[in-house]
Amino acid sequence: MDSIYSDMESSSCDRFTHTDDEDSVRCASPEPAQQQQKKRRRGRVRSEATVQVVKKNRRLKANDRERNRMHNLNDALDALRGVLPAFPDETKLTKIETLRFAHNYIWALSETIRIADLQAGKSGDAPRLLSTTFLGSAPSPGSDSCSWSSSGSSSSSSPAYCASSPGSPTGAEDYGYLPQDALMRFRSFVY
DNA sequence: TAGGCCATCTGGTCCT
DNA sequence: AGGACCAGATGGCCTA
């Protein structure tokens, strides 16, 4: 990072001079005083060096905003991790794992509610769906595990990420979005 | 050491 | 004009 800026300064404005007491950057003026006065009278004429300084400051501000934006995004991801079922000693889910897991989790909850509505007052099967959906033994709407996707208004469609790497929510042994041992513990947790 | 994940910088584009 | 958003590039850290 420092190298980038030092690069910028050295290459784009070789008239820059650095003062020892501050971080500011200045450009030495090679022009005679008379010429400078003319420019000043004409108004908003900026030297090339000044333009470079302005550009650099804008870039630094933009970097700062971008950093904050990404921090906000990460905070939101952390909040999402916080509401997903997890274990205290579990390693933190990666970003993509968090998103996929959340997607599947929401779908499973929706399915649970739907089944519960359908079987209201009949049986206590609904709570089992949540666990079986995550853990691989959920009944699949299609014979192949992941060829089905959420399209249209069907509430029983599977997560759209089903077929995407790294994991399939319906394959018993392939759960790229959750560590294997976590799945084993999650199984007992949900049940 | 290769590969995965992440933070950051950067330039482009769109919007207000 | 300036800010938000996005995607690509880059380099650091960690793990198998």
Side-chain angles (χ1 to χ4, degrees):
Chain A
M1 317 311 172
D2 285 341
S3 62
I4 292 172
Y5 295 130
S6 56
D7 231 3
M8 271 177 72
E9 286 165 16
S10 60
S11 63
S12 60
C13 180
D14 46 21
R15 289 177 293 174
F16 278 146
T17 57
H18 294 265
T19 55
D20 289 333
D21 55 338
E22 58 184 342
D23 216 8
S24 65
V25 182
R26 293 181 190 153
C27 280
S29 64
E31 299 175 285
Q34 282 187 344
Q35 263 188 337
Q36 282 202 329
Q37 279 221 337
K38 274 185 187 174
K39 282 185 178 179
R40 228 176 276 140
R41 275 191 219 112
R42 266 194 285 162
R44 304 173 57 85
V45 177
R46 286 174 168 171
S47 70
E48 182 66 22
T50 305
V51 169
Q52 292 299 326
V53 171
V54 169
K55 279 185 179 177
K56 182 188 171 184
N57 286 336
R58 275 191 202 143
R59 190 62 258 173
L60 290 175
K61 277 177 72 177
N63 289 349
D64 199 43
R65 286 194 304 272
E66 177 66 8
R67 221 178 297 125
N68 288 331
R69 196 179 72 84
M70 296 309 294
H71 287 167
N72 286 337
L73 189 61
N74 289 336
D75 287 347
L77 267 170
D78 281 337
L80 183 57
R81 285 187 188 100
V83 298
L84 290 175
F87 294 89
D89 59 335
E90 194 50 55
T91 55
K92 186 177 165 186
L93 291 174
T94 66
K95 293 180 175 181
I96 188 67
E97 285 170 346
T98 301
L99 291 175
R100 287 187 173 139
F101 189 19
H103 183 270
N104 295 339
Y105 187 51
I106 291 168
W107 175 78
L109 291 174
S110 304
E111 282 298 279
T112 301
I113 292 171
R114 189 180 68 85
I115 300 293
D117 282 348
L118 285 177
Q119 302 182 344
K122 272 188 168 182
S123 75
D125 276 356
R128 290 177 59 88
L129 181 67
L130 181 60
S131 60
T132 54
T133 298
F134 279 106
L135 299 172
S137 54
S140 165
S143 55
D144 54 335
S145 62
C146 279
S147 61
W148 32 297
S149 63
S150 56
S151 60
S153 58
S154 169
S155 59
S156 63
S157 55
S158 79
Y161 290 120
C162 186
S164 66
S165 78
S168 153
T170 57
E173 61 284 326
D174 185 16
Y175 289 96
Y177 58 95
L178 261 190
Q180 237 358 264
D181 58 338
L183 284 170
M184 297 307 292
R185 282 178 289 172
F186 188 55
R187 184 190 298 272
S188 59
F189 174 75
V190 176
Y191 265 83

